[in-house]
Amino acid sequence: MFKIIVRTFIIILVCSISLTGCKAKKKAVSNKKKPTTERVVTVKKETKVAKTLEELGETKVEVAPANSSFSVLVSTYIDNYSQIAKEEMLQYGIPASITLAQGILESGAGNGELTRKANNHFGIKCHREWEGDKVYHDDDESQECFRKYNDAKYSFRDHSLFLTTRSRYADLFKFDKDDYQSWAKGLKKAGYATDPKYPDKLISIIERFDLAKYDAEVLGKKVVNRIKNDSKIAKYTVVKGDTLYSLSKRFNIPLDTLKDYNGLRDNTISIGQTLYLHSPEN
């Protein structure tokens, strides 16, 4: 009996020691300080790529003088809308040069009837999904439905959405943003216009008015100065029967501008005289 009691006491004592050791070990483990590991998280800084239409505010449009030449109308159009075209390029990746050239061509440099009465710069028709205001205008057919905008900036935004949301224009976005020639040809190939000379017209406008510089500005590239030097400036030699007024009409240059180009104080010109048709560099 005594042996049984001693044996039981020894077993209890051993168990107590074991349990105490386990607890101490667990406590030591739990109190052990974990090694500090530093995790570096790279946060990509977002660049605000474009202003919202609301931030752009109401479009302030400068009106060209009455009876202005096409060159003056286009220059005024560019002054009015180049910033919006650049913002759209930032947001949607469509070259500003292409947007401006299309706007100039489709809207008659802002003076077409559809543009004047509906702020529609790109000739976009209603289509089934359009739920905005509408106007009816003769085009390929009589009284076709066209989209109407409260402000020109909404027409530019709709143009961006029109190209980016339709699968037939997807191939355009494979071209470089400063490759306006490929974009112009791609628009025709995708069916934007039926005129076979549409690409040539866009390219001509872009190069004549140096619209590619706006693409370079958006892309952060060096803007190439395309002002021609004296030796390459278009000139005209006066012949019998010419007047300064008739030449201004022939070359679509305002009379006062033509005088400025040539440093003339009055309308007097003489046979054999050379006239500059562009502003000399010096």
Side-chain angles (χ1 to χ4, degrees), residues 190-207:
Y192 192 96
T194 57
D195 183 357
K197 295 184 178 180
Y198 191 76
D200 295 332
K201 291 178 179 179
L202 293 181
I203 293 169
S204 176
I205 291 172
I206 290 170
E207 294 181 347

Side-chain angles (χ1 to χ4, degrees), residues 108-122:
N111 287 271
E113 182 182 354
L114 180 62
T115 303
R116 285 187 280 106
K117 70 182 182 181
N119 277 318
N120 191 325
H121 286 246
F122 300 93

Side-chain angles (χ1 to χ4, degrees), residues 59-65 72-73 75-77 79-81 109:
T59 307
K60 295 180 180 179
V61 178
E62 178 186 346
V63 180
V72 172
L73 292 176
S75 296
T76 303
Y77 187 92
D79 290 341
N80 287 333
Y81 303 113

Side-chain angles (χ1 to χ4, degrees), residues 89 95 97 175-183 212 215-216 219 221:
M89 181 176 177
S97 60
F175 302 131
D176 291 338
K177 299 298 181 289
D178 54 359
D179 185 4
Y180 59 83
Q181 293 189 353
S182 293
W183 276 80
D215 300 337
L219 296 172
K221 296 184 176 181

Side-chain angles (χ1 to χ4, degrees), residues 65-200:
N67 300 319
S68 294
S69 67
F70 179 70
S71 295
V72 172
L73 292 176
V74 172
S75 296
T76 303
Y77 187 92
I78 294 168
D79 290 341
N80 287 333
Y81 303 113
S82 58
Q83 185 59 39
I84 294 178
K86 287 164 64 178
E87 296 288 354
E88 292 303 302
M89 181 176 177
L90 280 167
Q91 183 85 6
Y92 294 95
I94 302 165
S97 60
I98 287 292
T99 299
L100 285 170
Q102 283 193 280
I104 291 165
L105 185 59
E106 300 285 348
S107 74
N111 287 271
E113 182 182 354
L114 180 62
T115 303
R116 285 187 280 106
K117 70 182 182 181
N119 277 318
N120 191 325
H121 286 246
F122 300 93
I124 299 180
K125 297 180 181 180
C126 293
H127 302 106
R128 288 179 295 178
E129 73 274 14
W130 180 247
E131 297 179 353
D133 293 336
K134 306 171 183 177
V135 294
Y136 293 87
H137 178 76
D138 291 343
D139 192 54
D140 295 330
E141 298 179 9
S142 176
Q143 293 298 288
E144 290 190 81
C145 182
F146 286 85
R147 303 181 183 190
K148 181 179 180 181
Y149 311 94
N150 293 329
D151 190 294
K153 63 186 178 183
Y154 296 110
S155 178
F156 278 77
R157 175 56 53 87
D158 206 23
H159 170 262
S160 298
L161 295 173
F162 190 83
L163 294 184
T164 55
T165 59
R166 284 167 167 74
S167 59
R168 61 176 171 155
Y169 297 115
D171 286 344
L172 290 173
F173 296 89
K174 298 177 183 177
F175 302 131
D176 291 338
K177 299 298 181 289
D178 54 359
D179 185 4
Y180 59 83
Q181 293 189 353
S182 293
W183 276 80
K185 295 172 184 176
L187 281 166
K188 171 64 177 65
K189 184 178 179 180
Y192 192 96
T194 57
D195 183 357
K197 295 184 178 180
Y198 191 76
D200 295 332

